[in-house]
Amino acid sequence: MDAEISLRVDGESHRLTVDTRTTLLDALRERLGNTSPKKGCDHGQCGACTVLLDGQRSLICLALAVAHDGAEITTADGLAPAGELHPVQQAFLEQDAFQCGYCTPGQVCSAVGVLDEVARGWPSHVTEDLTGDVELSDAEVSERMSGNLCRCAAYENITPAVQQAGAR
Amino acid sequence: MTDLLEPRAIGQSLVRRDGEQKVRGTATYAFETPVEHPAYAHPVQATIARGRVTAMDTAAAQALDGVLAVLTPFTAERLASVEDAEYAVLQSPDVAFRGQLIGVVVAETSEVARQAADAIAVTYAEQPHDSELRTDRPDLYAPEQVNAGHPTDVVDGDVEAAMRSAEVTVDHTYQTQMLHNNPIEPHATVALWEPGADVPLTLWDSTQGVHPDRAAVSEVFGLDEEQVRVVCPYVGGGFGSKGNPHANVMLTTMAARALPGRPVKLALTRQQMFFLTGYRTPTIQRMQLAADHRGRLQAIAIDVVEQTSKVKEFAEQTGVPTRMMYASPNRRSTHRLAPLDVPIPSWMRAPGECPGMFGPEVALDELAVELGIDPVRLRIVNEPEVDPDTGKPWSSRHLVECLRDGAHRFDWDSRGPGRRREGDWFVGCGVASSVYPTMRQATSTATVRHSNGRYTVEIGAADLGTGAWTILPQIAADALDADVADVEVRIGDTRYPTASVAGGSSGTNTWGSAIVQAAREFRGKYGADPRDGDEASGDVDQASPNEDHAAYAFGAQFAEVRVHADTGEIRLPRLLGVFACGRIINPRTARSQLIGGMTMGMSMALHENSVFDTRIGQVANHDLAEYHISVNADVQQIEAHWLDEHDPYVNVMGAKGIGEIGITGTAAAVVNAVHHATGVRVRSLPVTLDKLLPGLP
Ligand code: FES
Ligand code: FES
């Protein structure tokens, strides 16, 4: 069964017809040609497909496109205009917070989401004081970034990259 | 001896050239290649572990709207070569292991392809299978040789006699688990078959080597190599699993040949990768050590039992590092394989050295405890002057310096007698050595071309996150005596000159040597002031420039662990490695590789485990929810350092490989630290809390 939906991706509007089984991830990658979000597992287990969906970090391999008609999506490629980098991307580059780069757009979107969550004072499992501001400690960043697997294991560099971007 | 290149660009911490594309997500990995009007393939896998497919009813699949082709063992084309059983895809209805490929569906969309694959009704004649690795199997056999061409068994002196007469002995069996490479980019291929074209077959494939990939595919399909182009500018990790093509590449090619003119895309699912893309065999290592009261080894022996698939042999060289690590007059190392009805094992980061630095390095720790000698010191007293295996001098060996420097940085001497308790946690520290051979492949060619003050270097190399995009220009710049900003290097396409596989930590050594050679040819021909279009090439035609020396990188790793006294929960607050791996081309990317290897070693120590269900013959936890790899919160402090090592024998860059050494010895350091913290000796990986709880005080 097909359905017609509209999506706004990285500031551009699209109308498209999708199989109702199509995930948002496949809609972006295979239908709209936006391959910035990656597919590592298709089961919500690796984080490679993380984007900002209506402002929040989200695993779009677990989202059916038809259920997100009208959604606003920002991928890592949409975080900054061509030729420029978002502070998180700049920090990833400087800290060498990746190797193969396949998990990286997901890590970057996740980090942007994390910084926003922290700014709003959302606590995590490791937050000691649930009433005050959340500090961007190593433990806090690591905990929040742990839904994004990196098999190249750049974690040691990802945490300082997120902190560097958060300090700006 | 070679005069080392004068380092100018070499040694600089340049930012990755492919970095911007990677942080934006615009680097195109295989499946993402923009192609016109693609079709999507989905494989069909056997659901029995041994037997034969007797029939496949494809009518329902074929009737689905959008299905373009269905291939089965009964309908698929006959391949030109079936010599490699792994590549003999759909050539016979026989099933050799659960998950083997028995068909493929191609459709207009991935959703329809998958639905159609599910709609195929398969009937089997099932036979009993046998997939249990045990040391008492009567069918254990000695392979002709083990991986990388090493002899299966090496015996020197009389280990048993030394064991009988020695003052102290250790005799234990250690086990490493089955592990899956699991690069985050799944194995994926886009294949286009255009009969009649000059180059009828194009593959955009996720591979660690476009040329070896092309060689394998052209042989299987009976094509000339010139009729095949393989392209792969970016690889989303491989760790050995993309070192040679697996059956999925042949299946995609076959599907494309059934649909001429139509690009066919196939990405294995994460679950399918656990059957089809190789893995590290579990190993069972019996270790024997004999020593005098000062810790000097009188004997060292490792007898390895591990598995292979019946359908294709892979013999991990687990016993090989024991042959050269430490001095001892009596030595033995053997390998025996259990041939099982299981998927085909293959390369995974540091095959041989990774599992093979577990048993020996834990056994040494047990010996140190037995003798009451510091484990760092025990390693130092057994330092061999020459390679015990070949008798050759070392090209350079700075293991002792790594141990000393690491002990100093780690503050090893303050570790105390063990079983230290801080609040609810037992705290302890452990050490182990690391090693990896310095290898160069025999074939690689590079070209250098000049235009307008800029140089273009081409070589079909691969960057799987290692940094080749960035460091090859550094090498080329110094070899050409040019500014690195004026050098462009192009890799990842068979249109460029032949390059060896990115494996065995040999990439920089091999491709770098070819590039330096090409640069020298270029300057020799055209001097310092070339004209536009001037071009020269150079190659590597021998495996090592120096046969008279044993060449290895060495390292020492130190781990601190905390074990919760009530729950047995294990944390790893500190991991520190010091390596002697020749000259470092780019400290930024090198550090990432070393840390990445160490983290994967920690993951092996504590988290990863492919649990093989021998009743059904498959990995039970075949996805990333249940196959645990270390996540960010598991990593607290991981440090990699290196010595300023100058090795004039390995190559003109003075560089040894660094991609694999980081994973060797790590698991032993962790296990040794766990023992120091708790008094519990874990001899089988991974260390999980159920193995600790019964022994906690
Ligand atoms: S692809 Fe979505 S979480 Fe792995
Ligand atoms: S950079 Fe390779 S998986 Fe993270």
Side-chain angles (χ1 to χ4, degrees):
Chain A
M1 194 180 129
D2 289 345
E4 203 180 312
I5 59 167
S6 56
L7 296 172
R8 227 178 128 70
V9 182
D10 295 339
E12 237 180 85
S13 297
H14 304 269
R15 273 202 84 68
L16 65 163
T17 305
V18 292
D19 188 313
T20 51
R21 297 169 294 188
T22 302
T23 62
L24 212 39
L25 179 60
D26 281 342
L28 259 63
R29 285 171 61 85
E30 306 306 326
R31 302 295 311 283
L32 302 180
N34 184 329
T35 56
S36 177
K38 306 300 179 197
K39 185 187 283 190
C41 71
D42 221 12
H43 275 58
Q45 300 169 346
C46 75
C49 62
T50 310
V51 300
L52 298 169
L53 172 58
D54 295 328
Q56 282 190 29
R57 55 185 176 141
S58 194
L59 303 175
I60 54 169
C61 69
L62 292 184
L64 289 172
V66 66
H68 290 274
D69 185 16
E72 169 98 38
I73 292 164
T74 306
T75 72
D77 192 30
L79 287 170
E84 289 172 39
L85 290 179
H86 184 278
V88 167
Q89 292 169 320
Q90 188 62 40
F92 265 63
L93 209 59
E94 287 170 17
Q95 300 284 346
D96 208 38
F98 58 93
Q99 292 182 49
C100 77
Y102 198 77
C103 74
T104 312
Q107 303 272 5
V108 164
C109 288
S110 205
V112 172
V114 164
L115 293 176
D116 183 52
E117 290 155 25
V118 166
R120 290 168 195 244
W122 293 9
S124 81
H125 171 65
V126 299
T127 311
E128 301 265 338
D129 175 7
L130 298 184
T131 58
D133 285 347
V134 180
E135 231 189 285
L136 268 186
S137 64
D138 288 357
E140 196 67 69
V141 173
S142 292
E143 171 66 21
R144 292 171 191 258
M145 290 299 292
S146 281
N148 292 84
L149 299 182
C150 178
R151 187 53 161 161
C152 300
Y155 305 125
E156 178 70 27
N157 296 349
I158 290 171
T159 301
V162 178
Q163 288 167 323
Q164 177 184 327
R168 291 201 189 188
Chain B
M1 271 240 300
T2 29
D3 286 334
L4 296 187
L5 275 184
E6 175 90 25
R8 284 175 300 268
I10 288 178
Q12 287 184 31
S13 265
L14 301 184
V15 167
R16 286 175 199 265
R17 285 195 168 183
D18 51 347
E20 194 168 322
Q21 291 100 295
K22 285 183 172 174
V23 297
R24 296 189 75 100
T26 53
T28 44
Y29 300 85
F31 202 77
E32 304 170 348
T33 313
V35 286
E36 280 298 313
H37 199 34
Y40 293 81
H42 196 86
V44 184
Q45 293 179 277
T47 56
I48 60 166
R50 189 165 160 258
R52 198 162 39 82
V53 176
T54 51
M56 290 174 79
D57 182 354
T58 60
Q62 247 139 355
L64 281 171
D65 218 13
V67 168
L68 299 167
V70 179
L71 305 180
T72 72
F74 308 104
T75 63
E77 67 168 305
R78 296 301 102 183
L79 296 171
S81 167
V82 292
E83 205 166 304
D84 187 324
E86 182 176 9
Y87 301 155
V89 178
L90 311 189
Q91 299 304 290
S92 124
D94 294 340
V95 175
F97 58 88
R98 185 180 297 270
Q100 180 188 309
L101 294 173
I102 55 166
V104 63
V105 175
V106 191
E108 296 288 351
T109 67
S110 60
E111 292 83 9
V112 171
R114 192 166 190 151
Q115 179 188 5
D118 282 346
I120 295 175
V122 185
T123 43
Y124 299 97
E126 194 172 354
Q127 287 165 8
H129 73 278
D130 178 3
S131 59
E132 193 177 356
L133 174 64
R134 292 190 324 268
T135 53
D136 62 352
R137 293 181 64 99
D139 58 349
L140 294 181
Y141 74 97
E144 256 175 48
Q145 57 176 29
V146 293
N147 185 46
H150 295 281
T152 303
D153 297 350
V154 172
V155 179
D156 205 351
D158 188 343
V159 168
E160 295 306 329
M163 288 295 285
R164 280 193 299 275
S165 62
E167 289 170 77
V168 189
T169 60
V170 167
D171 188 342
H172 288 299
T173 298
Y174 303 89
Q175 296 190 32
T176 61
Q177 70 274 50
M178 180 187 286
L179 296 164
H180 279 77
N181 307 52
N182 273 317
I184 297 295
E185 182 207 12
H187 289 235
T189 314
V190 180
L192 175 61
W193 175 245
E194 297 169 297
D198 284 349
V199 180
L201 180 63
T202 305
L203 300 178
W204 294 270
D205 190 28
S206 185
T207 172
Q208 291 174 223
V210 288
H211 288 97
D213 203 21
R214 177 176 76 167
V217 172
S218 43
E219 175 164 349
V220 165
F221 289 91
L223 300 166
D224 292 337
E225 292 201 8
E226 291 65 40
Q227 293 178 288
V228 183
R229 179 180 175 206
V230 180
V231 186
C232 182
Y234 305 103
V235 191
F239 316 105
S241 68
K242 295 170 183 169
N244 41 38
H246 293 291
N248 58 297
V249 179
M250 306 309 163
L251 189 74
T252 315
T253 303
M254 221 176 218
R257 281 159 64 89
L259 286 171
R262 196 84 195 261
V264 173
K265 300 172 72 164
L266 190 155
L268 291 179
T269 66
R270 181 59 52 182
Q271 289 77 3
Q272 288 163 350
M273 283 169 61
F274 280 80
F275 300 90
L276 294 166
T277 59
Y279 60 94
R280 191 188 317 278
T281 172
T283 73
I284 303 171
Q285 312 171 15
R286 183 187 175 197
M287 285 300 310
Q288 291 174 297
L289 301 178
D292 65 16
H293 67 280
R294 292 171 53 197
R296 282 179 309 199
L297 289 174
Q298 305 304 308
I300 185 166
I302 182 168
D303 296 298
V304 181
V305 175
E306 50 195 15
Q307 74 188 40
T308 183
S309 72
K310 267 185 204 153
V311 65
K312 176 176 172 179
E313 182 183 281
F314 180 80
E316 178 122 0
Q317 71 274 36
T318 306
V320 165
T322 298
R323 294 175 184 167
M324 48 61 63
M325 272 308 283
Y326 301 108
S328 169
N330 301 291
R331 22 197 342 105
R332 186 182 71 236
S333 50
T334 67
H335 298 84
R336 295 294 175 271
L337 297 184
L340 304 178
D341 302 313
V342 293
I344 303 163
S346 184
W347 298 332
M348 178 164 169
R349 204 172 197 165
E353 279 72 23
C354 173
M357 286 298 278
F358 178 67
E361 291 295 315
V362 179
L364 271 180
D365 199 66
E366 302 214 41
L367 181 63
V369 172
E370 194 76 19
L371 287 161
I373 292 182
D374 183 312
V376 169
R377 198 179 145 60
L378 179 64
R379 287 169 172 82
I380 293 174
V381 301
N382 285 296
E383 175 72 2
E385 263 172 36
V386 295
D387 176 8
D389 189 28
T390 60
K392 290 179 187 176
W394 305 105
S395 68
S396 58
R397 171 167 168 140
H398 294 105
L399 173 61
V400 170
E401 290 79 356
C402 290
L403 285 161
R404 292 212 168 106
D405 187 53
H408 176 70
R409 291 174 184 273
F410 192 78
D411 197 13
W412 172 256
D413 291 339
S414 72
R415 74 174 194 143
R419 277 213 184 176
R420 184 160 59 86
R421 189 162 171 162
E422 278 180 25
D424 290 338
W425 298 85
F426 291 109
V427 186
C429 301
V431 65
S433 303
S434 299
V435 70
Y436 199 77
T438 302
M439 285 191 245
R440 190 163 100 177
Q441 316 276 341
T443 15
S444 274
T445 304
T447 57
V448 174
R449 201 167 47 247
H450 171 260
S451 158
N452 209 5
R454 293 182 52 82
Y455 299 88
T456 305
V457 177
E458 293 178 340
I459 181 166
D463 185 337
L464 30 153
T466 48
W469 274 114
T470 312
I471 66 144
L472 294 180
Q474 293 180 261
I475 294 169
D478 284 0
L480 284 164
D481 195 11
D483 195 290
V484 67
D486 292 330
V487 178
E488 182 192 348
V489 173
R490 298 178 181 163
I491 63 172
D493 194 327
T494 51
R495 285 190 174 165
Y496 307 142
T498 302
S500 55
V501 66
S505 297
S506 67
T508 300
N509 192 345
T510 312
W511 313 326
S513 298
I515 288 172
V516 171
Q517 198 51 41
R520 289 186 171 167
E521 298 283 339
F522 183 91
R523 286 291 182 229
K525 263 190 187 161
Y526 309 112
D529 199 14
R531 284 174 313 192
D532 281 4
D534 284 350
E535 181 176 321
S537 68
D539 27 74
V540 180
D541 52 8
Q542 69 192 68
S544 164
N546 184 301
E547 294 295 337
D548 306 331
H549 290 81
Y552 292 85
F554 291 91
Q557 297 197 34
F558 295 79
E560 177 185 328
V561 304
R562 298 168 85 85
V563 176
H564 195 276
D566 299 322
T567 65
E569 179 188 349
I570 308 151
R571 301 288 293 159
L572 193 74
R574 272 200 304 158
L575 187 60
L576 183 148
V578 177
F579 301 93
C581 35
R583 192 191 260 165
I584 295 298
I585 310 289
N586 180 327
R588 180 192 304 264
T589 55
R591 181 171 167 271
S592 286
Q593 280 212 78
L594 293 169
I595 284 173
M598 292 168 72
T599 310
M600 206 183 255
M602 152 189 163
S603 190
M604 169 189 185
L606 299 177
H607 302 124
E608 293 178 42
N609 191 13
S610 300
V611 180
F612 202 82
D613 186 337
T614 54
R615 293 164 306 176
I616 57 169
Q618 78 163 55
V619 175
N621 54 337
H622 61 302
D623 66 19
L624 290 175
E626 298 191 73
Y627 182 93
H628 292 171
I629 70 170
S630 294
V631 302
N632 199 319
D634 295 313
V635 171
Q636 296 186 45
Q637 189 185 328
I638 300 196
E639 286 175 52
H641 304 273
W642 50 83
L643 306 181
D644 191 17
E645 187 178 62
H646 291 263
D647 189 320
Y649 297 107
V650 287
N651 52 54
V652 51
M653 293 85 65
K656 298 175 175 177
I658 53 170
E660 291 166 274
I661 188 169
I663 198 177
T664 70
T666 323
V670 172
V671 158
N672 297 342
V674 165
H675 178 265
H676 186 241
T678 64
V680 182
R681 180 64 71 182
V682 179
R683 299 196 180 93
S684 80
L685 291 175
V687 189
T688 45
L689 45 84
D690 55 300
K691 293 175 186 167
L692 296 181
L693 275 177
L696 289 185

